[in-house]
RNA sequence: GGAGAGGUACCCAAGCGGCCAAAGGGGGCAGACUGUAAAUCUGUUGGUUAUCACCUUCGAAGGUUCGAAUCCUUCUCUCUCCA
């Protein structure tokens, strides 16, 4: 087995391959190009999108050359795979701006620099809008469309489900376009491998077949396990919605907390998938008698460091340890926490608890804040506030002249007072 | 184009003239138990309000009625069958 592939197996990525031996042999022989596609459906990627890119990271390190394909063109269609309903269509402008912001996020895991360093393959980023938007419908049907059997497409699991609920023609075309992408990448860039989540299996196989029918070389498809959580919740979803990589949408502190709170059963698996720690090092966390919480802290730290950088990871960890751990609760350690700033004069005049909580992320409306307060889950520092009429003034300030609001036992929010 | 079935809160889904801010489930939040875990149990879950109360919501717009998520009209979208 090719060592790069073996790494992916050992880390728990791989689900299926079109021709494992063939791929392994090819990768032993030469540095290959492979690609992953992402749709530009949102402003930010979330953590669930990242699995294939983490895999690309390992392959790049082994000398292979990743292509990240932003689906500027395919996003206009919408992939029906794994979805029960048609996706709303986005404007071209939205898609363009989305794909721009995704580029920077992918750089955290795949190295797109001109000179990635010894042994690493050179990566590139492409956008399929470049070739899809100028397609001529008749030509496309004659050259590409004729290779697709509707009978066969309908037998794919991805479409079967949608046949129950309805599937529009535009979505039915998605597979052709994704296959065409692979064909173009093979022709123009000698790309031999497409990787993706297991829900992409049908689309990937179609691409491999299309290239063969068009007279190209043998190409390969490799899919990864869809990441699930032990409790059955969807990966990358949290109480606040998707765990986005954009710090504006999901703060690095909350991001850290998300990983800090994964299930026991998921911890080792996630360390393998979502960090670059060596397997030997990860194995030390599996030993008898090791506190699982140490592993979770490591997971949270490493993952935050990869996505948001070392500085943010340090801040998030310090803040977490200041409240949950033994680390001293100093102003410096609070830096990573989500916060708002209010004027001293306002605080001296007194602010209603409800309003104060509603201004933080802990509650979005006064009513929600009221429920929290009446339910006994609202705290300021170590003081529980259970009267919705309570006025918060400067007497609540802690030794650092700040307010630390808390919802329940583990959601903290920092209020900085400006003089 | 014809016939039928539908669009209910974050999601699924009941309700089919007043007792409906709307059953039930899921999800979320909080409490208990813990390990900043899971599972479990309890409470809560449109907005403004200390409370009474008021405001907005059942695809959209009009109408009937003392009163409409519920009845009527038009529009719109989805699905199924037929052409």
């Amino acid at each position: 087995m090719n060592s790069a592939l073996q790494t992916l197996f050992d880390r728990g990525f791989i689900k299926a391959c079109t021709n494992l031996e063939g791929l392994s042999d090819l990768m032993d022989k030469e540095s290959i190009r492979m690609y992953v596609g992402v749709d530009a459906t949102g402003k930010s990627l979330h953590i669930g999108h990242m699995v294939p890119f983490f895999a690309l990271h390992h392959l790049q390190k082994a000398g292979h050359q990743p292509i990240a394909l932003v689906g500027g063109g395919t996003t206009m269609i919408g992939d029906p795979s794994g979805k029960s309903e048609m996706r709303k269509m986005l404007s071209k402008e939205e898609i363009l701006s989305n794909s721009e912001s995704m580029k920077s996020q992918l750089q955290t895991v795949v190295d797109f620099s001109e000179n990635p360093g010894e042994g690493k393959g050179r990566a590139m980023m492409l956008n399929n809008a470049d070739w899809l938007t100028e397609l001529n419908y008749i030509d496309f049907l004659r050259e590409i469309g004729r290779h697709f059997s509707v009978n066969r497409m309908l037998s794919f699991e991805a479409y079967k489900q949608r046949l129950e609920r309805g599937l529009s023609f535009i979505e039915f075309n998605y597979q052709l376009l994704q296959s065409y992408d692979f064909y173009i990448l093979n022709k123009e860039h000698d790309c031999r491998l497409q990787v993706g989540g297991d829900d992409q299996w049908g689309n990937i196989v179609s691409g491999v077949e299309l290239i063969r029918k068009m007279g190209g070389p043998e190409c390969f498809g490799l899919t990864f396990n869809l990441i699930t959580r032990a409790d059955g919740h969807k990966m990358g979803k949290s109480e606040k919605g998707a765990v986005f990589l954009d710090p504006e949408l999901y703060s690095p502190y909350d991001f850290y907390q998300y990983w800090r709170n994964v299930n026991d059963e998921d911890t080792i698996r996630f360390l393998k998938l979502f960090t670059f720690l060596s397997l030997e090092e990860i194995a030390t966390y599996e030993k008898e008698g090791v506190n699982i919480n140490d592993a979770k802290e490591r997971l949270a730290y490493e993952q935050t460091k990869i996505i948001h950088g070392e500085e943010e990871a340090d801040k998030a960890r310090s803040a977490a340890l200041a409240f949950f751990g033994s680390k001293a609760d100093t102003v410096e350690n609070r830096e990573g926490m989500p916060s708002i700033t209010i004027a001293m004069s306002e605080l001296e005049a007194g602010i209603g608890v409800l309003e104060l909580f509603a201004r933080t992320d802990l509650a979005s409306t006064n009513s929600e804040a009221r429920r929290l307060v009446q339910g006994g889950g609202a705290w300021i520092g170590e003081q529980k506030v259970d009267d919705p009429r309570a006025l918060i003034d400067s007497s609540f300030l802690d030794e650092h002249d700040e307010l630390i609001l808390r919802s329940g036992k583990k959601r903290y929010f920092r209020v900085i007072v400006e003089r």
Side-chain angles (χ1 to χ4, degrees), chain A residues 53-120:
Chain A
F53 293 98
F54 274 91
L56 283 194
H57 172 95
H58 294 294
L59 295 178
Q60 178 177 32
K61 209 164 133 194
H64 300 287
Q65 306 158 61
I67 299 173
L69 181 69
V70 176
T74 28
T75 303
M76 301 202 194
I77 303 301
D79 182 8
S81 305
K83 298 185 187 63
S84 55
E85 288 184 26
M86 183 162 161
R87 178 154 83 200
K88 69 167 187 154
M89 289 212 249
L90 297 155
S91 71
K92 293 185 182 179
E93 291 72 34
E94 282 176 288
I95 291 169
L96 187 69
S97 104
N98 287 343
S99 39
E100 287 304 315
S101 50
M102 281 176 184
K103 279 188 188 179
S104 61
Q105 298 183 345
L106 293 178
Q107 284 169 12
T108 58
V109 175
V110 176
D111 183 354
F112 291 101
S113 60
E114 290 287 316
N115 201 342
E118 83 301 336
K120 275 165 93 175

Side-chain angles (χ1 to χ4, degrees), chain A residues 391-404:
Chain A
L391 268 189
I392 306 307
D393 57 27
S394 51
S395 69
F396 283 81
L397 288 173
D398 64 16
E399 70 271 25
H400 303 302
D401 278 347
E402 295 186 339
L403 298 175
I404 297 298

Side-chain angles (χ1 to χ4, degrees), chain A residues 11-13 46-55 57-58 109 225-229 235-236 245 255 258-259 262 266-277 282 298-307:
Chain A
R11 288 187 164 261
F13 280 96
H46 62 73
I47 197 62
H49 289 124
M50 295 304 282
V51 174
F53 293 98
F54 274 91
H57 172 95
H58 294 294
V109 175
N225 291 305
L226 293 180
I227 307 306
T228 52
R229 292 184 5 176
M235 182 62 194
L245 305 190
F255 187 84
Y258 179 82
W259 292 99
V262 298
D266 291 333
T267 311
I268 296 299
R269 200 159 55 95
F270 288 177
L271 276 169
K272 289 178 183 167
L273 291 168
F274 292 104
T275 75
F276 303 139
L277 297 180
I282 292 171
R298 189 69 190 275
L299 171 64
Y301 180 75
E302 292 296 329
Q303 173 63 194
T304 308
K305 186 165 127 187
I306 290 167
I307 302 299

Side-chain angles (χ1 to χ4, degrees), chain A residues 213-226:
Chain A
K213 287 174 184 167
M214 298 291 285
E218 182 182 6
C219 288
F220 303 91
L222 185 64
T223 62
F224 302 132
N225 291 305
L226 293 180

Side-chain angles (χ1 to χ4, degrees), chain A residues 231-248:
Chain A
D231 59 12
H233 284 68
K234 217 167 183 176
M235 182 62 194
K237 298 283 180 190
S238 75
E239 62 284 352
K240 303 175 74 178
V243 181
F244 289 113
L245 305 190
D246 184 338
E248 298 293 314

Side-chain angles (χ1 to χ4, degrees), chain A residues 4-52:
Chain A
L5 275 178
Q6 189 61 52
T7 301
L8 295 188
F9 267 109
D10 294 343
R11 288 187 164 261
F13 280 96
I14 295 178
K15 164 86 177 180
C17 181
T18 52
N19 173 359
L20 194 56
E21 284 135 68
L23 179 61
S24 177
D25 288 347
L26 181 70
M27 288 174 73
D28 278 340
K29 237 173 31 210
E30 56 190 80
S31 158
I32 64 161
R33 280 233 166 89
M34 65 268 169
Y35 98 93
V36 190
V38 244
D39 268 355
T41 34
K43 180 169 176 283
S44 171
L45 293 169
H46 62 73
I47 197 62
H49 289 124
M50 295 304 282
V51 174

Side-chain angles (χ1 to χ4, degrees), chain A residues 5 30 44 66 101 109 115 128 145 148 162 201-203 224 262 310 353 359 374 376 393 416:
Chain A
L5 275 178
E30 56 190 80
S44 171
S101 50
V109 175
N115 201 342
N128 64 12
F148 286 79
R162 287 300 302 272
W201 178 252
N203 293 339
F224 302 132
V262 298
E310 189 161 5
V353 228
R359 273 157 74 169
Q374 288 177 335
D393 57 27
I416 301 166

